[in-house]
């Protein structure tokens, strides 16, 4: 028989161990117990292990302020890493913090680190809690299944609530297209169409040369070239190197040729694609939504987006981040209440205004504000109909380092694409074998 819940009893209910005792004492499932909101006058501290840029920080500071309006006696410490120097370092710092017993209640993590935190038993499984909490279920229901499922554990459990995501699409300058007599890219354009377009947009010589395309030269930015050719750096279950796939060689040779054969893209060294695009030294570049804050700050509105050109498949890549509750959380129900605020419609409104990422909730992408700029903003959320996550094994940092080091030698013409991929495959295979042993 369940008992009446007193304020004193509830205030005793904080972490996982006491939650289990509470659930047993009151004759309710643990998930139901964890879904109970604490009283508004509770006094507590919450520590958020977080990441992002200045605009992110402002969005989540507003969410914390709204949370504190409901829970005025809760002190929230937002431990912010502005831009992690690789997800490996960010994850390592988190593991050290947990191992040393320092407080961490809520964890923000990119998809590149979710499997590692789950494998290291750092975060709390959420499915039973979601089932017992209509507010959490409503958040999940408003997310695209592709996003929600991408952050699940190998056991199929939910551990993270998607907080944001980004994809890769083509950013182009409509005025430069018009000046070159070109129509905007078609939704189903191909690599051949892309190359023909890049040629038409390339003009001039030397320092005055204007390029058709500025290559997004980083692991995530290059991934659409692999995915649209039905290949990737790793195999489908992220357990082995896939760099010996002939389609990877074909893809790498195509990217290499944009600089060294067709000369429609500047060298990747020292040419960040957003800066080149803003300076109108390139008519196209590749990115997600994050550069739009730069465009708006520079009063630069000659931008629209198009799907990535296809070869064998019409797809692209996405990466996402999520909120999880640490298993060491001092008050799990209170942490959940803050995650609800982090995932609220108000937070999504702020994130749309910030312009740096795509909100996790579909309803936020259907607003007038989201679709005001660029004209074809529909391509952001629409890309989820055919998309693949960035390969994110638990040794992601090592995988990324190996591949990009060898890719750098290829793009610098130190080695041929064949030589570079062969060496990368040998090194990456050894790393993946070590992971599975």
């Amino acid at each position: 028989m369940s008992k009446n819940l007193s304020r004193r009893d509830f205030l005793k209910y904080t972490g996982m161990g006491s939650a289990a005792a509470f659930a047993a004492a009151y004759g309710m499932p643990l998930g139901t117990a964890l879904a109970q909101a604490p009283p508004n006058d509770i006094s507590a501290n919450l520590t958020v292990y977080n990441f992002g840029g200045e605009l992110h920080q402002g969005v989540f500071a507003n969410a914390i302020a709204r949370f504190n309006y409901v829970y005025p006696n809760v002190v929230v410490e937002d431990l912010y890493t502005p831009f992690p120097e690789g997800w490996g370092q960010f994850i390592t710092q988190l593991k050290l913090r947990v191992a040393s017993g320092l407080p961490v209640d809520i964890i923000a993590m990119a998809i590149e680190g979710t499997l590692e935190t789950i494998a290291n038993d750092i975060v709390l499984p959420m499915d039973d809690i979601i089932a017992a909490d209509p507010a959490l279920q409503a958040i999940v229901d408003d997310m695209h299944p592709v996003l929600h499922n991408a952050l699940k554990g190998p056991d199929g459990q939910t551990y993270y609530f998607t907080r944001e995501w980004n994809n890769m699409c083509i950013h182009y300058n409509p005025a430069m297209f018009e000046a070159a007599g070109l129509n905007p890219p078609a939704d189903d354009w191909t690599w051949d169409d892309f190359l023909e377009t890049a040629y038409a947009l390339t003009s001039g010589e030397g320092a005055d040369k204007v390029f058709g395309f500025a290559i997004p030269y980083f692991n995530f930015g290059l991934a659409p070239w692999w995915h649209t050719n039905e290949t990737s750096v790793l195999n489908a279950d992220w357990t082995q190197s896939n760099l010996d796939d002939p389609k990877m060689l074909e893809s790498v040779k195509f990217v290499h040729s944009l600089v060294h054969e067709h000369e429609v893209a500047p060298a990747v060294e020292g040419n960040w694609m957003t800066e080149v695009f803003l300076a109108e030294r390139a008519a196209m570049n590749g990115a997600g939504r994050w550069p739009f804050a730069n465009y708006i700050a520079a009063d630069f509105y000659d931008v629209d987006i198009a799907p990535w050109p296809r070869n064998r498949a019409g797809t692209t890549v996405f990466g996402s981040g999520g909120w999880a509750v640490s298993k060491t959380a001092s008050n799990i129900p209170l942490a959940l209440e803050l995650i609800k605020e982090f995932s609220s419609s108000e937070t999504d409104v702020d994130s749309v205004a910030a312009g740096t990422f795509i909100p996790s909730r579909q309803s936020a992408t259907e607003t007038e504000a989201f679709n005001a700029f660029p004209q074809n903003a529909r391509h952001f959320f629409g890309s989820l109909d055919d998309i693949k996550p960035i390969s994110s094994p638990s040794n992601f940092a090592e995988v990324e380092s190996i591949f990009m080091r060898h890719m750098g030698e290829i793009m610098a013409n130190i080695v041929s694409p064949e030589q570079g991929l062969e060496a990368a495959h040998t090194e990456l295979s050894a790393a993946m074998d070590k992971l599975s042993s």
Side-chain angles (χ1 to χ4, degrees), residues 16-358:
M16 189 66 159
S18 56
F22 176 90
Y26 285 91
M28 64 175 70
L30 179 58
T32 303
L34 292 172
Q36 303 296 309
N40 294 352
D41 61 351
I42 187 172
S43 295
N45 294 277
L46 289 177
T47 300
V48 183
Y49 187 79
N50 207 349
F51 70 90
E54 184 178 347
L55 291 173
H56 290 77
Q57 195 167 9
V59 169
F60 299 128
N62 289 343
I64 292 170
R66 291 192 298 271
F67 171 82
N68 279 143
Y69 183 80
V70 179
Y71 295 103
N73 300 321
V74 177
V75 177
V76 179
E77 182 183 12
D78 195 7
L79 297 176
Y80 226 82
T81 300
F83 288 102
E85 294 182 12
W87 292 113
Q89 182 188 54
F90 186 71
I91 298 162
T92 298
Q93 290 174 346
L94 171 63
K95 291 193 291 187
L96 288 172
R97 184 174 183 85
V98 171
S100 64
L102 292 171
V104 55
D105 300 284
I106 295 174
I107 295 167
M109 185 58 65
I111 189 173
E112 289 88 343
T114 55
L115 285 183
E116 188 164 356
T117 59
I118 294 167
N120 283 271
D121 203 29
I122 292 173
V123 292
L124 186 70
M126 299 295 301
D127 283 347
D128 289 344
I129 304 171
I130 294 169
D133 191 326
L136 292 176
Q137 186 63 59
I139 292 169
V140 173
D141 290 344
D142 200 15
M143 293 177 184
H144 196 290
V146 167
L147 297 176
H148 183 65
N149 294 336
L151 299 181
K152 286 187 174 182
D155 56 0
Q157 271 268 15
T158 297
Y159 291 84
Y160 284 87
F161 294 92
T162 307
R163 79 170 198 168
E164 63 182 77
W165 67 285
N166 253 304
N167 67 352
M168 287 295 297
C169 54
I170 297 296
H171 294 206
Y172 69 95
N173 185 319
M176 295 176 75
F177 267 64
E178 185 176 355
L182 297 173
N183 293 322
D187 287 359
D188 60 349
W189 67 328
T190 66
W191 284 12
D192 288 340
D193 297 330
F194 168 85
L195 186 56
E196 182 179 348
T197 300
Y199 265 123
L201 292 164
T202 300
S203 62
E205 297 291 338
D208 296 325
K209 184 170 183 176
V210 175
F211 294 91
F213 182 62
I215 296 173
Y217 186 66
F218 49 100
N219 184 55
F220 184 76
L222 292 170
W225 294 118
W226 326 147
H227 289 183
T228 53
N229 204 26
E230 294 184 340
T231 190
S232 188
V233 172
L234 297 176
N235 63 356
D237 62 1
W238 304 343
T239 58
Q240 292 294 328
S241 170
N242 191 53
L243 295 180
D244 60 345
D245 181 1
K247 294 194 293 292
M248 271 301 298
L249 178 59
E250 179 185 22
S251 305
V252 169
K253 289 175 75 171
F254 182 79
V255 174
H256 178 268
S257 74
L258 297 178
V259 176
H260 297 289
E261 178 184 345
H262 305 297
E263 299 181 350
V264 296
V268 295
E269 301 84 6
N271 285 299
W272 183 244
M273 83 282 180
T274 303
E275 295 175 355
V276 175
F277 184 72
L278 273 170
E280 297 189 306
R281 290 184 50 239
M284 297 184 289
N285 80 106
R289 190 167 184 258
W290 70 87
F292 277 83
N294 303 79
Y295 301 154
I296 293 168
D299 197 29
F300 184 79
Y301 292 92
D302 280 328
V303 186
D304 207 350
I305 62 171
W308 208 267
R310 63 184 66 199
N311 195 35
R312 290 181 168 87
T315 185
T316 186
V317 65
F318 79 94
S320 58
W323 299 109
V325 177
S326 168
K327 281 197 171 182
T328 64
S330 59
N331 190 310
I332 293 168
L334 198 57
L336 289 168
E337 292 304 306
L338 181 50
I339 285 179
K340 289 176 189 177
E341 195 56 64
F342 282 150
S343 304
S344 68
S345 297
E346 291 86 351
T347 299
D348 275 342
V349 168
D350 281 351
S351 72
V352 168
T356 57
F357 49 84
I358 309 172

Side-chain angles (χ1 to χ4, degrees), residues 398-435:
E398 184 179 20
V399 171
E400 181 179 55
S401 175
I402 291 170
F403 177 71
M404 289 306 296
R405 178 162 33 84
H406 289 280
M407 190 70 189
E409 293 185 349
I410 292 170
M411 294 305 294
N413 267 345
I414 296 171
V415 297
S416 68
E418 290 86 352
Q419 292 168 329
L421 281 186
E422 182 179 2
H425 177 63
T426 299
E427 187 176 351
L428 186 55
S429 295
M432 301 312 293
D433 287 343
K434 181 180 177 181
L435 180 67

